[in-house]
Amino acid sequence: MDTRISRTLVVAVVGWIACWGCGAKGTETPLAALQGKTLDVGVRWARVPSGDPTRVGSVVLGLRFSDVGKWEGDACPIVRASATFGGVALKPATQGGAAQCSFESDPACGQLCMDASWGTGNITALLETLPQTVDLVLKDGSEMAVVTIRNPAPTATVTVLDLVEGQQVRYGDSFHVQLQAQPPATTEDIQGGVYVDLLNHGTLPISPDPASGIDVWRVDVVPQTLPAGPQTVSIDYETQSLQFDSCPSDFACLGRSHVDFGEFAFQYAP
């Protein structure tokens, strides 16, 4: 997921390298004292690398609050809280406080308030159980926030109906895939987020084709530019609006999810 949270984690890693051993500058602040709190969750269950049938699950969590982005220096809140996702402990990445960097000429050094974020160990085993709901728990000595996420990573089995692996496909051809949602997810849960990624070459149009059968979708091979030869498509699901069964009254909750359903290779002939 190329999201704000992902960028925050990259910045955190760079910061650790540039200021190894430095402590965050700011004021330790309990969760209960933070104002305008927003939890931002990103869930991913995908092949790494492409072509490997094994899917790896990961999650990132960001906590924003009203002080983030303000120039408060030593007054920037530092958040020391633990976070778990379905019982899996998340690793602190940033804890708020003032921005740290290695170049004193940077005007943000030691002044600009940062958000807090957590990364994951590995939630692959959790996602493989196809949980209908998952509790995300954020807590410190002053507060425990429990957020319940519905269908954090819905998945489906993919069957290509018209082609065999490696078959030749020409510009303007179409083929059909059957996407069978895996319970507890339903067709309605996934249909708004299905897309076909033509790896390294953009996406292909996909749309439900009920005239061809139940849960059947049509894929049109109409890339703008695509060299002749072997190509791989990845049939994926993505939503920018995770469903929350519960969110604490003093927080706002938002998030996104990405799931790799499956890959299929063909020979492209323009």
Side-chain angles (χ1 to χ4, degrees):
M1 289 170 278
D2 297 325
T3 64
R4 181 189 57 78
I5 295 181
S6 299
R7 291 192 297 270
T8 299
L9 295 181
V10 171
V11 170
V13 172
V14 172
W16 289 335
I17 294 173
C19 196
W20 183 260
C22 296
K25 185 171 77 171
T27 301
E28 293 203 22
T29 306
L31 286 173
L34 296 174
Q35 302 296 314
K37 294 173 286 190
T38 298
L39 285 172
D40 193 352
V41 188
V43 181
R44 185 175 179 86
W45 191 17
R47 288 169 170 77
V48 181
S50 174
D52 186 334
T54 304
R55 287 187 294 192
V56 175
S58 60
V59 62
V60 289
L61 170 66
L63 172 65
R64 292 184 62 85
F65 35 89
S66 58
D67 294 273
V68 172
K70 294 182 179 179
W71 289 70
E72 298 177 353
D74 290 340
C76 290
I78 294 176
V79 180
R80 302 195 191 280
S82 64
T84 60
F85 184 88
V88 178
L90 306 187
K91 301 173 184 177
T94 60
Q95 293 183 310
Q100 298 183 50
C101 51
S102 59
F103 302 103
E104 293 300 328
S105 59
D106 188 328
C109 267
Q111 298 298 322
L112 188 66
C113 296
M114 306 294 288
D115 58 4
S117 58
W118 294 258
T120 184
N122 190 316
I123 61 167
T124 304
L126 171 65
L127 297 184
E128 286 175 343
T129 67
L130 304 180
Q132 186 168 25
T133 60
V134 170
D135 284 345
L136 187 153
V137 180
L138 181 67
K139 66 178 179 179
D140 66 0
S142 71
E143 184 172 5
M144 182 172 72
V146 180
V147 176
T148 302
I149 305 169
R150 177 164 296 276
N151 285 334
T155 192
T157 57
V158 179
T159 304
V160 179
L161 303 179
D162 309 287
L163 303 175
V164 296
E165 194 88 2
Q167 184 173 332
Q168 187 179 88
V169 174
R170 293 186 177 277
Y171 179 87
D173 286 351
S174 297
F175 63 91
H176 292 83
V177 296
Q178 189 170 46
L179 299 178
Q180 295 179 297
Q182 296 298 292
T186 65
T187 299
E188 289 72 23
D189 291 328
I190 67 170
Q191 65 184 4
V194 175
Y195 70 99
V196 178
D197 183 18
L198 185 56
L199 300 184
N200 302 316
H201 295 286
T203 60
L204 297 180
I206 182 171
S207 58
D209 189 2
S212 298
I214 298 175
D215 297 330
V216 173
W217 297 59
R218 170 177 164 163
V219 181
D220 297 318
V221 185
V222 286
Q224 295 298 317
T225 58
L226 184 62
Q231 302 294 336
T232 300
V233 294
S234 177
I235 301 171
D236 295 359
Y237 163 86
E238 187 168 85
T239 179
Q240 299 296 318
S241 302
L242 277 177
Q243 300 178 58
F244 294 92
D245 280 359
S246 67
C247 180
S249 59
D250 56 338
F251 284 81
C253 295
L254 54 92
R256 67 211 55 81
S257 177
H258 175 100
V259 183
D260 182 347
F261 287 171
E263 292 184 354
F264 183 79
F266 57 81
Q267 289 286 331
Y268 180 67

